[in-house]
Amino acid sequence: SLLHVVKFSNCCLKQRNEDQVVVINAWNEWGEGMAIEPSAQNGTNFLEAVRKVKGLAEQEGFCNTSQ
């Protein structure tokens, strides 16, 4: 899940002194049904979900990977 990826980036990569980057591959792949870009149909819901996951990872602690 995205939450696990963010936690991994925040914890494990930081401990290894590696870049803490999460790349989301599909900004506007409308033809493939993989778009998170704001739209008339979904508004900014997908971007808000990404923001929420990042906030959850920070609340739960960077290195809590038990979930």
Side-chain angles (χ1 to χ4, degrees):
S1 73
L2 183 56
L3 181 58
H4 289 105
V5 171
V6 172
K7 286 181 181 181
F8 176 81
S9 174
N10 289 340
C11 179
C12 299
L13 297 180
K14 187 175 187 176
Q15 289 176 351
R16 296 184 207 166
N17 293 322
E18 295 183 27
D19 292 336
Q20 299 171 45
V21 176
V22 175
V23 176
I24 298 176
N25 185 13
W27 171 252
N28 64 354
E29 295 293 334
W30 298 103
E32 297 175 15
M34 300 291 295
I36 63 169
E37 182 179 31
S39 67
Q41 182 179 5
N42 296 309
T44 59
N45 291 339
F46 293 126
L47 294 176
E48 294 299 324
V50 172
R51 180 186 294 176
K52 181 179 177 182
V53 165
K54 184 178 181 300
L56 287 172
E58 290 173 354
Q59 278 180 345
E60 294 179 11
F62 291 135
C63 295
N64 180 2
T65 57
S66 61
Q67 294 182 346

